[in-house]
Amino acid sequence: MSEGEFEIIDKYFANIGWRSDEVQLGPGDDCALLKVSQGNQLCVSTDTLLSGVHLPVGVAGDIAAHRALAANLSDLSAMGARPLGFLIALTLPEADSQWLELFSQTISRLSHQYRIPLVGGNLSRGPLSVTMTIMGTVPEGSALTRSGARVGDAVYTTGYTGDAAAGLRIVTQGREGHEQLARAYCHPMPAIETGQSLRGIASACIDISDGLLPDLDHILQASGVGAIIELDRLSISSALRAFANTGDLLEFVLAGGDDYQLCFCAPPDRQTSILDLSRRTGTLVTRIGNIVTDRGLWLLHPDGHKTLAESRGYRHF
Amino acid sequence: MSEGEFEIIDKYFANIGWRSDEVQLGPGDDCALLKVSQGNQLCVSTDTLLSGVHLPVGVAGDIAAHRALAANLSDLSAMGARPLGFLIALTLPEADSQWLELFSQTISRLSHQYRIPLVGGNLSRGPLSVTMTIMGTVPEGSALTRSGARVGDAVYTTGYTGDAAAGLRIVTQGREGHEQLARAYCHPMPAIETGQSLRGIASACIDISDGLLPDLDHILQASGVGAIIELDRLSISSALRAFANTGDLLEFVLAGGDDYQLCFCAPPDRQTSILDLSRRTGTLVTRIGNIVTDRGLWLLHPDGHKTLAESRGYRHF
């Protein structure tokens, strides 16, 4: 490795972000050393964002950083985990100091905000890609998985669904205005605290990264159940309603990805706890449907008829 | 995500490799759940291998898999850690089934051999790159770091140094023969057991990934010491001597990377323990020099004169 590479690491990545006693040896050795407190399980996940696939070509450093870390935090959130640390494997076409400055500042700010230390990484020259690996902890046996949904459970989402997909269109088309939607795409804020509050309440949970239907379908597959979603209960922002035409609207809400909100299930008797946590954490929580015996993902239209949904999201291959 | 993507994951990555009780939830949810036994620290590291940079363009799936996992295992080895689990973030230009078959078979075989389970990953379409994140455990306070080298310590290497760099030249030039060298590049075998045996013996340790001198220099920088390396003590294979001309030989041995062997330091009174572990683990261990007060990396030539070495390795930027 070169001085150039180590200089970049020193200049933009050393001593940034949140510090934690759980990090017993930080970046700079062959491995970082972390403490996982007794009675906790380690949660770990990795996600890649590629220029031209998950990120617009020519994406600014702050947006790349924000979306990559949010995508990873969102996976912790979906497990109900507390952040422990993360690693960045960054591939860059060139050492662009302005880009690196924005990237590093954003990583540092979010690292503080979510109290998650940067514990290691890798820097290479090549087409722009950001792979992060994130670690968190959950008290043993309390993680929210995809497989616990039961017939009779209600289905909920947090925040608004579809804003980020509309935001992506706005950003790639270079359109002005629609700031709430653009922000939902560029600067998503995963509901880490909400995820932790759902431990012991939610029966199953996933983050909405690929789209509401494909992601909910993962819960249905893992739990061996079906669901019925009431279209007039979906959590749609007024910003999205103002932006989308009638045809687009449901496409954004049902199939658009990148929201990094949660979709979760819970038994009916948890309704009060969910209202409580919504108030306590300031999170919008919307009941959008129910878990049913009939396999598949059913849509209940406002006129009362039901259709079976197509659940596919983005296709890589 | 698409069915194509999930089909690839199901076909090539589900249910492969070593299983461990420490993996309490494997791939397929938002995060994997792992158990870190009490009294242990978690070691974690990430490494990216890019086509055209760390891997020859058009590299076969088995070589990409082997080199990526070896590079990551090598970081565990350098900490004295026991493998716990790893994640693969794979970016592929196309779903080439033969390539994926070779990749997956090699991952599975090494996973068994090193007893390290695959706990998660990510698959995207794009220019070939393999980013792995590896986790291991060490009993608290026993990790081998880079910062413990002290004046008077001896400097050792494991295995042969320089074989992999010569192997890379052989592979990229498509030359026949020289199998030991080609194997050192394509199928390096990190000394995981040796690393663990060095806990309590080595004062500092690093893996040789960038080249002997640049890697040893990391130890010197972190420990605030210098070293003198005796050129006629270097661990050079007869295969490398047969391949390289006199001018190339030292370049391969001192600056060539990719060996994934260990370079470590130990107080003189540990010599017997080191001979013991060498016999017990079947690892070639060679004493190549000493830690000295004079900062810098000194080379002692066979004729008795000393020069200050240039320690730069591969430059990414």
Side-chain angles (χ1 to χ4, degrees):
Chain A
M1 309 249 166
S2 69
E3 278 193 8
E5 184 181 356
F6 293 118
E7 278 162 10
I8 291 171
I9 293 170
D10 275 353
K11 186 164 175 194
Y12 298 105
F13 297 103
N15 305 312
I16 65 166
W18 180 252
R19 300 296 184 92
S20 152
D21 289 346
E22 290 166 316
V23 180
Q24 300 176 324
L25 183 66
D29 214 299
D30 293 290
C31 291
L33 291 174
L34 303 179
K35 181 183 171 68
V36 176
S37 305
Q38 212 195 331
N40 283 272
Q41 287 170 299
L42 176 71
C43 299
V44 61
S45 175
T46 194
D47 245 323
T48 300
L49 270 63
L50 283 169
S51 172
V53 182
H54 317 85
L55 294 171
V57 173
V59 66
D62 56 332
I63 297 175
H66 196 122
R67 288 192 42 76
L69 188 46
N72 279 275
L73 282 163
S74 184
D75 285 315
L76 285 191
S77 172
M79 300 299 284
R82 191 177 64 78
L84 176 66
F86 70 109
L87 304 101
I88 306 175
L90 177 63
T91 304
L92 277 181
E94 54 179 344
D96 174 337
S97 60
Q98 198 187 347
W99 196 96
L100 280 162
E101 190 70 44
L102 282 173
F103 186 90
S104 145
Q105 280 170 357
T106 304
I107 291 296
S108 185
R109 184 171 47 78
L110 289 178
S111 163
H112 279 287
Q113 189 169 342
Y114 285 96
R115 298 188 171 204
I116 184 162
L118 174 63
V119 301
N122 190 89
L123 180 62
S124 303
R125 185 169 207 142
L128 178 66
S129 85
V130 189
T131 296
M132 289 191 191
T133 301
I134 199 157
M135 293 168 292
T137 58
V138 281
E140 226 160 286
S142 73
L144 307 175
T145 67
R146 298 177 179 181
S147 58
R150 297 292 172 261
V151 173
D153 284 359
V155 179
Y156 298 85
T157 54
T158 63
Y160 295 117
T161 316
D163 278 11
L168 172 59
R169 185 177 296 179
I170 287 158
V171 169
T172 49
Q173 293 180 349
R175 293 169 69 162
E176 296 294 316
H178 305 291
E179 271 125 39
Q180 179 184 323
L181 304 179
R183 193 169 55 239
Y185 177 77
C186 298
H187 302 114
M189 297 305 294
I192 276 282
E193 206 191 333
T194 311
Q196 292 171 61
S197 302
L198 285 171
R199 296 194 308 238
I201 294 174
S203 55
C205 189
I206 193 168
D207 71 312
I208 306 176
S209 53
D210 295 337
L212 175 58
L213 295 191
D215 286 319
L216 175 55
D217 196 49
H218 288 310
I219 288 184
L220 304 184
Q221 300 290 338
S223 302
V225 293
I228 182 158
I229 299 304
E230 300 174 44
L231 294 182
D232 59 6
R233 283 179 172 272
L234 292 169
S235 177
I236 304 173
S237 69
S238 50
L240 182 58
R241 286 191 197 279
F243 172 76
N245 56 47
T246 318
D248 276 0
L249 184 66
L250 274 187
E251 183 69 19
F252 282 129
V253 177
L254 298 177
D258 298 324
D259 280 313
Y260 303 123
Q261 294 293 336
L262 298 177
C263 173
F264 66 94
C265 304
D269 62 5
R270 299 305 170 98
Q271 177 100 33
T272 315
S273 313
I274 290 165
L275 288 173
D276 279 353
L277 89 81
S278 165
R279 269 190 293 267
R280 206 175 59 245
T281 62
T283 311
L284 174 68
V285 179
T286 309
R287 181 173 177 167
I288 61 166
N290 291 289
I291 296 298
V292 296
T293 315
D294 277 358
R295 301 293 281 267
L297 218 167
W298 300 89
L299 303 180
L300 181 64
H301 296 256
D303 65 5
H305 86 285
K306 277 197 311 185
T307 55
L308 195 58
E310 164 72 69
S311 69
R312 284 182 172 180
Y314 182 81
R315 299 175 193 199
H316 273 284
F317 291 99
Chain B
M1 308 243 169
S2 70
E3 276 193 9
E5 182 180 358
F6 293 117
E7 278 161 12
I8 290 172
I9 292 169
D10 275 353
K11 187 163 175 197
Y12 298 103
F13 297 102
N15 305 311
I16 65 167
W18 178 253
R19 300 295 184 95
S20 153
D21 290 344
E22 290 166 317
V23 181
Q24 299 177 324
L25 183 67
D29 214 299
D30 292 290
C31 292
L33 290 175
L34 303 178
K35 183 185 169 64
V36 176
S37 305
Q38 213 197 330
N40 282 272
Q41 287 169 298
L42 176 70
C43 299
V44 61
S45 175
T46 193
D47 245 324
T48 300
L49 270 62
L50 282 170
S51 172
V53 182
H54 318 85
L55 295 169
V57 173
V59 66
D62 56 333
I63 297 175
H66 196 121
R67 286 191 43 75
L69 188 45
N72 278 276
L73 281 163
S74 184
D75 284 316
L76 285 191
S77 172
M79 300 299 285
R82 189 176 66 77
L84 176 66
F86 69 109
L87 303 101
I88 307 176
L90 178 62
T91 304
L92 277 181
E94 54 178 346
D96 174 338
S97 60
Q98 199 187 346
W99 196 96
L100 280 161
E101 189 71 46
L102 282 172
F103 186 90
S104 144
Q105 281 170 359
T106 304
I107 291 295
S108 184
R109 185 171 48 76
L110 288 178
S111 163
H112 279 287
Q113 189 170 342
Y114 284 96
R115 301 191 168 201
I116 184 161
L118 175 61
V119 301
N122 188 90
L123 181 62
S124 304
R125 184 168 208 144
L128 178 67
S129 85
V130 190
T131 296
M132 290 192 191
T133 301
I134 199 158
M135 292 168 292
T137 59
V138 281
E140 224 160 287
S142 73
L144 307 174
T145 66
R146 298 178 179 179
S147 57
R150 296 292 171 262
V151 173
D153 284 358
V155 179
Y156 298 85
T157 54
T158 64
Y160 295 118
T161 315
D163 279 12
L168 171 59
R169 186 177 297 179
I170 287 158
V171 169
T172 48
Q173 294 180 349
R175 293 168 71 161
E176 297 293 316
H178 304 292
E179 272 126 38
Q180 178 185 322
L181 304 179
R183 194 167 58 238
Y185 177 77
C186 298
H187 301 114
M189 298 304 294
I192 276 283
E193 205 190 333
T194 310
Q196 291 171 61
S197 303
L198 284 171
R199 295 193 308 239
I201 293 174
S203 55
C205 189
I206 193 168
D207 71 314
I208 306 176
S209 53
D210 296 335
L212 175 58
L213 295 192
D215 286 319
L216 175 54
D217 196 48
H218 288 310
I219 290 185
L220 304 185
Q221 299 291 338
S223 302
V225 292
I228 183 158
I229 300 304
E230 301 175 41
L231 293 182
D232 61 5
R233 284 179 171 270
L234 292 169
S235 178
I236 304 173
S237 70
S238 50
L240 182 59
R241 286 189 196 279
F243 171 77
N245 55 46
T246 318
D248 277 359
L249 185 64
L250 274 187
E251 183 70 20
F252 282 128
V253 178
L254 299 177
D258 298 323
D259 281 313
Y260 302 124
Q261 295 292 335
L262 298 177
C263 175
F264 66 94
C265 305
D269 62 3
R270 299 303 170 98
Q271 177 101 31
T272 316
S273 313
I274 290 165
L275 288 173
D276 280 354
L277 88 83
S278 164
R279 272 190 292 267
R280 205 174 62 247
T281 61
T283 311
L284 175 68
V285 179
T286 309
R287 180 173 177 167
I288 62 165
N290 292 289
I291 297 297
V292 296
T293 314
D294 278 357
R295 300 292 281 267
L297 219 168
W298 300 89
L299 303 178
L300 181 64
H301 296 256
D303 65 5
H305 85 286
K306 279 198 309 185
T307 55
L308 194 58
E310 164 71 71
S311 68
R312 286 183 171 178
Y314 182 81
R315 299 176 194 198
H316 274 283
F317 291 98

